[in-house]
Amino acid sequence: MSNLKKCFVYLLFVHFFSYNSVARKFLDIDALMSHAYDTCKPGLKTKHLGFHKALCVLMGWNWQVAPDSSKAYQSFSSEEVNAMKGDLMLWPPVVVIHNSSIANKPKVAEAKIVSVEEIEGVLADIGFASGKAKITHGKPSDQSVFVVKFLPTISGFQEAMRIHNHFRAENHGKEELEQTKGEKGKTAAPADKLEELLYAHIALAEDLVYLDDETKKRCVVSSKNEIEAKADATLNLDS
């Protein structure tokens, strides 16, 4: 397992279990998976199954198949893995905004430092009303990431998705961000507007690494599909 995945496993463990949990060693990732799936400890079953599901998403394995010596649960198509990853969002809703001029520039002189106030201005320009969310710096500490934190409500989710969908429609969503990372070091065309430097997306379980410690503590992993269904039901009731 790569060092990056080991880091994510640790972050998931801290997210699902308290810092004061009794340390326990496992022979390998399969042993950890089996423990998370099979535990029967009162009050901990739900957390263990949540950790098991998130761990399967990270590894690209099937969380609906019980882990055993056959390792059948490790057989999962890339399409199913991507669909599963896309469903596990963080709750309360969080939008992650990336400043690509810092993330992709090899020289500090070429980077543009962006303030929280400037991010607020960009969001206001696309019709996002101030006061509906809190904007702070995320991680890493080079000011390349901002997190927009919403209330744990259907309306909070809808506002977060409105920002997510706007940037995706402008080809500045998560997929396009990953493409720019592959072009790191190349000279990009000068941006006429600040928004052209920014990429934004709704935060999924795999995006925990971008969140500040306080936000991590208050977040849980929820099903995006289920929340969207509730939001649709709310709209139907109002119509």
Side-chain angles (χ1 to χ4, degrees):
M1 184 165 53
S2 68
N3 289 333
L4 180 59
K5 283 191 174 180
K6 286 179 181 178
C7 177
F8 273 113
V9 170
Y10 171 76
L11 288 173
L12 287 172
F13 183 84
V14 170
H15 177 68
F16 281 96
F17 306 102
S18 71
Y19 288 90
N20 297 321
S21 297
V22 177
R24 179 172 179 177
K25 293 184 178 181
F26 296 92
L27 180 63
D28 52 29
I29 189 69
D30 299 295
L32 175 60
M33 192 78 73
S34 295
H35 168 78
Y37 186 87
D38 295 330
T39 188
C40 296
K41 291 184 178 180
L44 294 179
K45 183 68 174 177
T46 300
K47 279 190 174 182
H48 276 71
L49 288 178
F51 176 68
H52 167 264
K53 184 174 182 179
L55 197 55
C56 282
V57 172
L58 172 66
M59 301 302 295
W61 296 342
N62 191 344
W63 64 273
Q64 294 178 311
V65 176
D68 55 28
S69 58
S70 71
K71 298 187 178 181
Y73 62 93
Q74 295 185 13
S75 299
F76 219 33
S77 69
S78 58
E79 291 80 8
E80 291 172 308
V81 170
N82 290 334
M84 187 165 57
K85 286 183 177 180
D87 184 48
L88 294 186
M89 67 167 284
L90 299 181
W91 187 266
V94 176
V95 168
V96 182
I97 300 179
H98 304 261
N99 176 0
S100 64
S101 76
I102 293 179
N104 296 332
K105 294 295 183 183
K107 298 178 181 178
V108 176
E110 297 178 357
K112 176 176 174 54
I113 302 299
V114 179
S115 67
V116 169
E117 291 72 24
E118 287 176 302
I119 295 294
E120 291 175 343
V122 169
L123 297 183
D125 289 342
I126 64 176
F128 179 75
S130 62
K132 289 190 175 182
K134 182 179 180 181
I135 305 174
T136 62
H137 289 291
K139 291 186 175 181
S141 59
D142 60 3
Q143 301 185 45
S144 64
V145 174
F146 297 83
V147 291
V148 187
K149 296 173 277 190
F150 296 83
L151 292 174
T153 61
I154 292 299
S155 60
F157 169 73
Q158 291 169 330
E159 288 296 325
M161 286 304 299
R162 193 153 67 87
I163 296 174
H164 170 90
N165 291 333
H166 169 82
F167 278 88
R168 185 173 64 176
E170 296 293 324
N171 294 320
H172 273 241
K174 194 170 190 176
E175 290 185 10
E176 292 79 13
L177 174 67
E178 293 303 316
Q179 292 172 9
T180 66
K181 290 179 179 179
E183 300 171 353
K184 189 171 183 179
K186 294 182 179 180
T187 302
D192 295 325
K193 298 191 302 180
L194 174 58
E195 186 180 341
E196 295 176 6
L197 298 175
L198 305 178
Y199 292 76
H201 55 86
I202 196 87
L204 304 177
E206 63 185 8
D207 297 314
L208 274 169
V209 68
Y210 296 122
L211 273 54
D212 58 276
D213 292 338
E214 188 59 36
T215 305
K216 285 178 187 175
K217 290 179 183 178
R218 73 184 186 94
C219 279
V220 297
V221 179
S222 298
S223 168
K224 182 169 175 284
N225 292 335
E226 291 179 6
I227 296 171
E228 284 180 332
K230 291 179 181 178
D232 290 342
T234 301
L235 288 175
N236 291 334
L237 288 174
D238 293 340
S239 60

